[in-house]
Each structure stands twice: as structure tokens, then as C-alpha cells.
């Protein structure tokens, strides 16, 4: 681990949990550098990243320094990217504190920051040495953030595991309440699914794309409404309903399957009605997200609950869903 540890967190989480983490680290006898970033997606950019580099250099952190990300997906993504770049790569550990980060963003090694011209457009693949998720920290998480995290839990079940999907349906009230036993099981199984998918395709040449179920529509909603209006998980919840509608129109699933997914998303207190942006605008935003100029867009669709696939879909077909 080296002789120095840099604890990177944000101004909201620092007063809640940093002291506890510092006291856990104290017996190791390491030199501790603490870096507190401003809170929010709006700060997930170059200047914040540079704050980390400046502090690490000023404190003479060396190539063996381990960075620890204590926070949600924003802190995790920036810290991971800082670790990928600092002195051409130092180890880092994720200590995720939101449900979304515990079930999704802390696992898989995608790190990065936003650019004014696109979300998560600058980044690197850099795997954490460890991910340490303590569900007790979720007690202070606002209800809206908890629901947003549940969107990724539902996604994991929908794309990869029917039994898990059934389990989420049965336990949705407990999950909404933040029941500890149910939450631990949701975090455990979601991470297991994500880790399995990523292990088979770390650089997203194929199967890893299935984790983007609901995300092409979701990212278009986030960008189209202006970042921050809907949380990422809210947009993904609604995006999964849109993807299910598309799957039904293409004859892959029946209407009962789509209704089941929609009901579960609504039961998790997530939106299911797409905001009206106009189909031209949706298509434009979906092309930016997919980094493509092509006539068709690769969409993640449902074959059934528990199994997803990637399919090329034409604008014509997409328009039918976007105006529905
Ligand atoms: P976030 O990091 O902004 O956290 C949400 C809010 O909750 C913040 O205000 C944060 O300070 C606060 N918070 C965090 N933990 C808390 C706690 N325990 N108690 C009280 N408040 C707490 O948002 P997020 O949803 O965790 O992450 C979203 C980010 O994750 C996006 O930038 C997205 O691009 C990224 N992401 C990355 C991946 C990946 O694979 N790397 C996957 C999904 C999402
Ligand atoms: Zn997501």
C-alpha cells in the first residue's frame, strides 16, 4: 500500500463519515492526506481533478500512494480517474456511500470526468484494488437518491437474472424503506452481476454494453432536460420503460412483460412517463450518447425479463416509441 494514503471525499460526506474512516486507517500508521472536493455532478470536471493532482504533488505523494474514494459515483469516478493518471497510475480503493455507487459505479473500473461537450467523455479504465460497501451509511442518504440507486438494481435483474428480478418485486417495499437485510442482498447480487459481466468484457467490446439497458434513452433525458433536473437513476428508470416499449414493438416481449417492468419501476418511486422533448431532439441526443452518425442506433433490448440483447434499430422504429 505504500506509506501514504490519500482520502478523497466531498464537503457533504466529510462531516458524516471521514472521521470514522480516518480512525479505521489510524492503526496502519500511514501518513494521511485528506482532500475535500465540492459536492455535485457540476464539479465532475477538469478543475476538480486538478485540485487532487495539486494537493498530491504539494504533499509529495509518491507512486505507491493509495487513493481512497469516500462518496457517491461522482467522487468515485473522479478519484478513480485521478488514480489512473497520477504518476501514470496509482492504486485506489472505492468506499461507495450511495446506493447507486454501491450497486453499480464503484465496480467495473470505468473512471472519468465530464467535458462541457459531453458527460463522462474523458476517462480511463482503472480497476480499484477493493470496493468496501457498508450499507449502514445509506441511512443518511436522501430518499430520492435511494430510489435512483434502485433503478440500477432493477436493471441488473432485468438484463441478467429472472430469479433476482422476482426477488426485487417481492422485496420492493423493504428496499424502499432501506431495510438492512434486503439492501445487503440487493447490493451483493447487483455487484455480483456487474462483476460477472465486466469480467467477461472489461473494455466493452460486447456483453458489457448490456449494462447500458435504459441508458441510451436515460442519457438523452438527462441531457435534454439539462443535467441535474432528473437524477441519473430516475432517467434510467424511465429509459428502461422506453426500452421495454421498443422491445415490445419489435415483437421481442409481450405487453405483460413490459407492464411488469413498468410496475416495478413505479413501485421504486421512479418516473415511468418520458418527458416530451420531441423525437428529433431525442434522436440527436441518442446519437451523441452512442458517439455515432450512423442511420441506426444500437439499442439494448429485452428478450425476456432476465435476458437482454443489443440490436440495431432504425430511426423510423425509434420514432414510434419516442412519440408514444
Ligand atoms: P453523487 O455522487 O452525486 O451522490 C449523490 C448525492 O448524495 C451527493 O450530493 C452526495 O454528496 C450525497 N451523498 C453521498 N453519500 C451520502 C450519504 N451516505 N449520506 C448522505 N448524502 C450522501 O451521485 P451518485 O448517484 O452516487 O453517482 C452518480 C455518478 O456516478 C454520475 O456522475 C455517473 O456518471 C456516475 N456513474 C458511474 C458509473 C461507472 O461505471 N463508473 C456507473 C454509473 C454511474
Ligand atoms: Zn447508470
Amino acid at each position: 500500500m505504500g506509506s501514504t494514503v490519500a482520502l478523497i471525499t466531498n464537503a457533504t460526506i466529510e462531516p458524516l463519515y471521514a472521521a470514522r474512516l480516518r480512525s479505521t486507517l489510524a492503526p496502519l500508521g500511514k501518513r494521511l492526506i485528506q482532500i475535500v472536493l465540492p459536492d455535485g455532478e457540476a464539479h465532475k470536471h477538469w478543475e476538480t481533478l486538478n485540485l487532487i493532482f495539486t494537493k498530491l504533488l504539494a504533499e509529495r505523494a509518491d507512486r505507491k500512494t493509495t487513493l481512497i474514494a469516500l462518496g457517491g459515483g461522482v467522487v468515485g469516478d473522479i478519484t478513480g480517474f485521478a488514480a489512473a493518471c497520477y504518476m501514470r497510475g496509482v492504486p485506489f480503493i472505492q468506499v461507495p456511500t450511495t446506493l447507486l455507487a454501491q450497486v453499480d459505479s464503484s465496480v467495473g473500473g470505468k473512471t472519468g470526468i465530464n467535458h462541457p461537450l459531453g458527460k463522462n467523455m474523458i476517462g480511463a479504465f482503472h480497476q480499484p484494488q477493493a470496493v468496501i460497501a457498508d450499507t449502514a451509511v445509506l441511512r443518511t442518504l436522501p430518499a430520492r437518491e435511494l430510489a435512483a440507486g434502485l433503478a440500477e438494481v432493477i436493471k441488473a435483474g432485468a438484463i441478467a437474472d429472472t430469479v433476482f428480478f422476482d426477488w426485487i418485486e417481492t422485496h420492493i417495499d423493504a428496499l424502499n424503506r432501506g431495510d438492512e437485510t434486503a439492501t445487503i442482498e440487493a447490493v451483493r447480487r447487483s455487484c455480483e452481476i456487474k462483476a460477472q459481466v465486466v469480467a467477461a468484457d472489461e473494455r466493452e467490446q460486447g456483453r458489457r454494453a448490456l449494462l447500458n439497458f435504459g441508458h441510451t434513452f436515460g442519457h438523452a433525458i438527462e441531457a435534454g432536460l439539462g443535467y441535474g433536473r432528473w437524477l441519473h437513476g430516475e432517467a434510467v428508470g424511465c429509459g428502461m420503460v422506453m426500452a421495454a416499449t421498443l422491445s415490445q414493438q419489435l415483437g421481442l416481449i409481450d405487453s405483460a412483460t413490459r407492464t411488469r417492468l413498468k410496475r416495478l419501476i413505479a413501485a421504486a418511486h421512479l418516473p415511468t412517463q418520458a418527458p416530451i422533448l420531441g423525437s428529433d431532439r431525442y434522436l440527436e441526443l441518442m446519437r451523441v450518447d452512442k458517439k455515432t452518425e450512423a442511420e441506426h442506433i444500437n439499442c439494448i433490448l429485452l428478450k425476456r425479463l432476465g435476458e437482454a440483447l443489443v440490436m440495431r434499430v432504425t430511426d423510423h422504429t425509434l420514432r414510434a416509441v419516442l412519440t408514444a
Side-chain angles (χ1 to χ4, degrees), residues 10-294:
N10 77 21
T12 306
I13 299 151
E14 198 280 334
L16 292 170
Y17 301 112
R20 203 182 299 173
L21 187 53
R22 283 196 304 268
S23 67
T24 309
L25 291 167
L28 299 177
K30 310 279 178 193
R31 180 167 74 103
L32 187 82
I33 302 168
Q34 181 168 294
I35 306 174
V36 181
L37 308 175
D39 186 6
E41 182 77 33
H43 297 283
K44 189 179 163 183
H45 56 36
W46 193 257
E47 284 79 28
T48 310
L49 183 69
N50 214 23
L51 283 178
I52 300 176
F53 295 146
T54 304
K55 177 86 172 178
L56 291 175
L57 288 166
E59 296 278 347
R60 300 184 181 282
D62 64 9
R63 286 168 55 193
K64 289 190 175 153
T65 301
T66 297
L67 310 192
I68 301 180
L70 174 68
V74 170
V75 170
D77 278 13
I78 304 182
T79 303
F81 189 39
C85 301
Y86 187 70
M87 298 199 168
R88 300 199 183 85
V90 294
F92 85 113
I93 292 172
Q94 293 269 22
V95 186
T97 63
T98 62
L99 182 60
L100 184 130
Q102 294 194 349
V103 300
D104 191 352
S105 67
S106 62
V107 175
K110 277 192 185 178
T111 73
I113 54 170
N114 301 329
H115 185 279
L117 297 182
K119 186 171 153 66
N120 293 334
M121 286 293 157
I122 315 295
F125 288 100
H126 191 55
Q127 294 292 350
Q129 303 283 305
V131 179
I132 302 164
D134 178 354
T135 52
V137 301
L138 303 178
R139 281 185 215 133
T140 53
L141 195 66
R144 201 177 156 197
E145 298 286 352
L146 191 76
L150 286 176
E152 306 283 7
V153 175
I154 295 170
K155 177 196 78 180
I159 63 165
D161 185 348
T162 324
V163 175
F164 185 45
F165 189 89
D166 294 347
W167 180 89
I168 303 165
E169 280 184 325
T170 319
H171 293 82
I172 192 63
D173 292 338
L175 291 167
N176 287 335
R177 279 198 310 275
D179 172 86
E180 202 176 340
T181 313
T183 306
I184 290 171
E185 176 57 15
V187 172
R188 190 194 64 73
R189 186 64 190 131
S190 303
C191 286
E192 206 167 63
I193 289 170
K194 179 150 186 192
Q196 260 168 13
V197 173
V198 172
D201 175 26
E202 193 175 346
R203 300 272 161 153
E204 198 165 320
Q205 309 293 313
R207 222 182 123 63
R208 185 168 183 163
L210 300 181
L211 294 168
N212 290 329
F213 177 57
H215 281 63
T216 307
F217 291 111
H219 287 157
I221 293 172
E222 283 184 271
L225 292 177
Y227 287 105
R229 289 273 306 280
W230 282 25
L231 296 178
H232 174 74
E234 292 170 338
V236 168
C238 186
M240 288 193 284
V241 178
M242 296 166 85
T245 306
L246 183 58
S247 309
Q248 188 192 337
Q249 282 192 2
L250 290 166
L252 293 165
I253 58 169
D254 57 18
S255 84
T257 304
R258 176 185 171 276
T259 304
R260 241 184 103 184
L261 179 65
K262 187 176 173 183
R263 273 213 192 110
L264 182 56
I265 289 165
H269 306 305
L270 292 162
T272 56
Q273 185 64 47
I276 296 164
L277 302 175
S279 55
D280 285 344
R281 181 79 178 124
Y282 264 113
L283 287 172
E284 183 187 312
L285 291 164
M286 288 166 77
R287 281 215 160 71
V288 174
D289 184 60
K290 287 286 175 193
K291 308 171 192 81
T292 181
E293 287 294 319

